[in-house]
Amino acid sequence: MRIALFLAALSAAAASAATCESLAGLKLPDTTITVAQEVAAAANTPAYCRVAATLKPSTDSDIKIEVWLPTTTWHEKFVANGNGGWSGSITPQTLAAAVRRGYATAMTDTGHQGGSGSFALGHPEKLTDFAYRAVHEMTVKSKAVIAAYYGKPAKLSYWNGCSSGGKQGLKEAQRFPDDFDGIVAGAPANYWTHLTAQSVWTVEAAKADPAGDIPAAKAQAIHKAVLAACDALDGVKDNLIENPTRCHFDPQSLLCKAADAPDCLTALQVETAKKVLGGPMNPRTKQQIFPGFEPGSEQGWPQTFQMAGGLGGDHFKYVVFKDANWDLKSLNYDSDIAQADRIDDGQINATDPNLAPFFKHGGKLLMYHGWADPLIPSQNSIDYVKSVQGKLGNVDDSLRLFMAPGVGHCAGGDGPSTFDMLGALEQWVEQKHAPESILASHSSAGAVDRTRPLCAYPNQAVYKGSGSIDDAQNFDCKVR
């Protein structure tokens, strides 16, 4: 009955356009609209109608969403935006960027406030909201608001997210394949139970013994040594490693010959670097739990050492063991990981390789990951794509992955990290132009100083042999 009433409401909403203020009276299931107001144009953002709502699909749900609807510049498309980490916020700048591109757009706080996982303790419904329900509910209700405001539904719907937002996009493709026509999923945190174990492993590697910690200066020394060993493997000396899987750097080479010094590592620091690069291993089966970080990611390690415990520790503390006093030092990388997987049972994890329903209606999935990501090891994205290929065979018509040399977590780093994945996805969905390469740029002091093509995996950018190495036109995408 609820679904029938909702569909009737949606049909009525789409019959004729509404004023922004009148949306305050729009009746949708489990929804209270709290704000419906016109926002005047400002700076480079056009005027839009701002709608805020609270969704309560369960008795313990308190999902906040915002929907921004361009007043005069709508291109009849909708884009929903992802979150990061444990989510817990809506970022106006993200919504404003989408409005500037002519999109009706939406975002959710996933049902709680703040960046901690503590909300999940004693609140299984809120955990479900975080896992997948908040994003799906936001999507359904946003489409209804869009239809009511413009008097017609959006012609196309897209998802754009990185990190947890990448996980959310994959979960949508897997669980709600009809929600979106195209999905951008960057650096996805999709193997959540194993990623959180890797986070704890990384923190413990660096912090278990303070003498083994790697400060920023030494992280930079490791990075310099990695570049010296592997930069030229791709035929171009450019302070970037095009394919770090070909880089076999041994931290032992930096062991201090005598006293400790800024440009060498103590024996304990060598072990820390090896653990970080190696990733967590099951001590009984010797199976890899999650990939380690790639050579070239070292500059971001110190920040990761400081913050990763909150991501991983919170999951085991509040979700797995339900004990706010649980100590991450006690994590068992055999039985505790198995327990985490059993408890999750596909709730937060978004690892299902069967994307056939999403692909069947023409859905396109565009993934990307920075090779120098110091928060979510980049091999995770490759592993997921390979799992889809293993399940469905050749999926090049529906799924493309782009690896970004020298790029950190979602953005940043020494590599060209400015690129328009959403634009490439639009071309793919709307013009049937499957992306073989995507132009990326790097800037210093506000000016572009390098462009490169990001290539559809497993291709990589190969220098043609002449011309500036800072100009993308001097590179081809090839398997090397």
Side-chain angles (χ1 to χ4, degrees):
M1 177 62 74
R2 269 181 52 192
I3 295 177
L5 290 173
F6 174 62
L7 291 175
L10 181 57
S11 177
S16 60
T19 65
C20 183
E21 289 75 11
S22 71
L23 294 177
L26 185 63
K27 302 300 181 185
L28 300 172
D30 308 318
T31 301
T32 301
I33 294 178
T34 55
V35 175
Q37 63 180 25
E38 293 279 358
V39 179
N44 60 344
T45 303
Y48 61 92
C49 170
R50 174 180 172 244
V51 176
T54 299
L55 314 182
K56 294 184 178 294
S58 82
T59 55
D60 196 28
S61 294
D62 187 29
I63 302 166
K64 300 294 193 295
I65 72 168
E66 292 217 9
V67 189
W68 290 15
L69 308 121
T71 304
T72 59
T73 58
W74 187 44
H75 298 326
E76 300 188 17
K77 292 182 281 190
F78 165 56
V79 65
N81 304 281
N83 305 84
W86 282 102
S87 309
S89 65
I90 295 171
T91 51
Q93 59 268 34
T94 300
L95 296 168
V99 167
R100 285 195 290 271
R101 294 180 67 145
Y103 277 104
T105 186
M107 195 170 185
T108 175
D109 67 356
T110 70
H112 69 276
Q113 297 293 308
S116 165
S118 59
F119 72 90
L121 188 60
H123 295 278
E125 294 292 347
K126 289 187 183 298
L127 184 63
T128 298
D129 290 336
F130 167 78
Y132 62 85
R133 186 164 57 194
V135 166
H136 175 61
E137 289 287 328
M138 171 198 71
T139 301
V140 172
K141 303 304 165 53
S142 296
K143 288 181 178 181
V145 170
I146 289 168
Y149 183 61
Y150 295 112
K152 57 185 175 181
K155 290 182 178 178
L156 292 166
S157 296
Y158 294 107
W159 174 267
N160 190 17
C162 190
S163 194
S164 278
K167 171 187 69 69
Q168 291 166 330
L170 294 185
K171 177 65 82 172
E172 278 287 302
Q174 296 161 13
R175 194 178 186 109
F176 306 103
D178 295 324
D179 276 1
F180 294 100
D181 300 291
I183 290 172
V184 173
N190 62 306
Y191 205 170
W192 186 266
T193 55
H194 287 214
L195 168 63
T196 51
Q198 188 267 351
S199 296
V200 174
W201 170 276
T202 301
V203 172
E204 275 301 284
K207 302 296 184 181
D209 187 332
D213 195 7
I214 298 175
K218 290 207 174 189
Q220 188 62 43
I222 301 173
H223 186 64
K224 183 178 178 181
V226 167
L227 288 177
C230 301
D231 179 7
L233 289 176
D234 57 8
V236 180
K237 199 166 180 58
D238 55 1
N239 290 319
L240 297 177
I241 303 173
E242 186 69 29
N243 182 356
T245 63
R246 299 179 63 211
C247 177
H248 304 295
F249 173 78
D250 186 353
Q252 190 73 27
S253 64
L254 286 177
L255 180 66
C256 296
K257 302 292 190 292
D260 188 10
D263 60 351
C264 68
L265 302 177
T266 65
L268 280 175
Q269 289 169 336
V270 167
E271 288 307 307
T272 296
K274 287 182 176 180
K275 287 182 178 179
V276 172
L277 290 168
M281 194 81 69
N282 184 308
R284 178 178 59 84
T285 66
K286 307 306 178 185
Q287 289 184 324
Q288 190 86 35
I289 295 171
F290 202 76
F293 294 118
E294 297 292 344
S297 63
E298 305 79 22
Q299 295 179 102
W301 289 3
Q303 184 179 5
T304 297
F305 296 159
Q306 296 298 323
M307 65 179 290
L311 175 70
D314 277 10
H315 182 73
F316 287 94
K317 183 182 293 185
Y318 300 115
V319 178
V320 178
F321 299 113
K322 300 177 175 59
D323 179 3
N325 296 313
W326 178 81
D327 187 346
L328 57 80
K329 296 185 182 68
S330 67
L331 185 64
N332 182 305
Y333 288 91
D334 182 7
S335 59
D336 289 351
I337 310 307
Q339 182 178 349
D341 287 341
R342 284 193 303 271
I343 289 172
D344 186 74
D345 193 27
Q347 183 180 35
I348 303 177
N349 282 345
T351 56
D352 185 355
N354 185 17
L355 298 180
F358 177 66
F359 295 157
K360 185 177 181 180
H361 73 76
K364 307 299 184 186
L365 174 58
L366 197 162
M367 296 177 62
Y368 67 93
H369 208 134
W371 272 121
D373 193 326
L375 193 61
I376 301 179
S378 49
Q379 182 65 39
N380 176 63
S381 286
I382 296 172
D383 289 346
Y384 179 69
V385 170
K386 287 182 176 179
S387 76
V388 176
Q389 292 168 335
K391 177 73 174 180
L392 303 177
N394 188 330
V395 292
D396 284 354
D397 288 343
S398 304
L399 167 60
R400 297 284 172 101
L401 168 65
F402 292 82
M403 304 301 292
V407 174
H409 185 58
C410 297
D414 292 335
S417 63
T418 299
F419 38 77
D420 185 6
M421 291 291 164
L422 184 57
L425 182 64
E426 285 182 302
Q427 288 293 309
W428 196 4
V429 172
E430 299 168 30
Q431 307 299 327
K432 312 304 179 187
H433 178 67
E436 298 293 340
S437 66
I438 295 173
L439 183 66
S441 65
H442 179 276
S443 298
S444 296
V448 173
D449 54 13
R450 172 173 285 173
T451 59
R452 282 284 173 85
L454 303 182
C455 302
Y457 184 84
N459 290 342
Q460 64 185 64
V462 177
Y463 183 52
K464 293 179 181 179
S466 63
S468 171
I469 63 171
D470 296 325
D471 190 336
Q473 69 178 353
N474 298 320
F475 290 78
D476 286 325
C477 286
K478 299 179 179 178
V479 174
R480 187 182 176 92

